[in-house]
Amino acid sequence: MGLGRGALAVEELATALAAYGLTLVTHLAAAHGRSLPDVCAAVEASVVVGFSSFDQDTVQALHRAGADLVLPSEPEDASPMRHLGRLQAELEPPVALTVHLEIASAAQAITGWREQAVTGVCAFNDETALAVLAGLHDHGLAIPTDMAAVGADDIPTARLAVPPLTTVCWDLHDVARHRAATIVTSLAGASQVSAGATYRCSRA
């Protein structure tokens, strides 16, 4: 079985960081009994890169554990579907609704979109877009005539949808190289970082 898109992204980042002499250690909250700060302290992590945002208490705990730099969430440019807000100056604000990976959740969101005359959905990722397609089928709507859906990540199962899902992909290798360079630049004390918000701590 091949690696999923998320696993491939981690693998590419590990390879890119290795070019700088850095080692990537992953922590899955659901698979470890130890907290992230404890693991960071055990491996003496200098940088913590999150795949979701950290609250301020977690950031402070990570700094106390020895992390010099905490980069929450993905870099802003990680996906072409995740920075469509840049176009909002020219377009109407999007109608953003939460869609869980369940048909009922997607169908409820589609009801809301239909009430506001939405004709197309740009989903956060392909899994969410597939849920949207299932919700559209549940409503008996034609795709894309009644409503279109676009995903992001180009996962293999996207082509198995009915109709096949339109999806956007990006070069994981380039994203990983950019992310690794951002981490190294940040560690060097650069005043500006191109990968989104960063939290720093002052250490004597």
Side-chain angles (χ1 to χ4, degrees), residues 25-43 48 54 57-58 61-62 64-65:
V25 177
T26 60
H27 175 271
L28 300 176
H32 290 264
R34 301 174 67 179
S35 68
L36 179 58
D38 285 346
V39 172
C40 290
V43 300
V48 179
F54 299 117
D57 289 341
T58 301
L62 290 169
R64 288 195 297 270

Side-chain angles (χ1 to χ4, degrees), residues 73-201:
S73 194
E74 297 176 308
E76 185 177 330
D77 293 331
S79 167
M81 299 302 290
R82 294 168 191 147
H83 58 84
L84 290 177
R86 297 174 183 175
L87 300 177
Q88 289 184 14
E90 302 175 10
L91 302 175
E92 291 294 324
V95 181
L97 297 177
T98 299
V99 175
H100 300 291
L101 300 183
E102 301 170 351
I103 295 176
S105 173
Q108 182 178 5
I110 288 163
T111 297
W113 283 320
R114 295 275 288 177
E115 290 173 351
Q116 300 189 59
V118 171
T119 59
V121 176
C122 292
F124 179 80
N125 56 27
D126 284 344
E127 287 85 355
T128 304
L130 289 171
V132 171
L133 291 184
L136 289 169
H137 285 302
D138 189 67
H139 275 271
L141 298 174
I143 308 164
T145 305
D146 294 321
M147 185 178 293
V150 179
D153 288 349
D154 192 24
I155 62 174
T157 50
R159 70 197 66 170
L160 302 179
V162 180
L165 177 65
T166 297
T167 180
V168 179
C169 67
W170 73 102
D171 192 322
L172 286 178
H173 181 67
D174 284 347
V175 170
R177 286 194 307 167
H178 172 73
R179 188 61 159 159
T182 296
I183 291 170
V184 172
T185 301
S186 302
L187 282 172
S191 58
Q192 293 187 349
V193 181
S194 60
T198 64
Y199 297 93
R200 295 183 179 278
C201 67

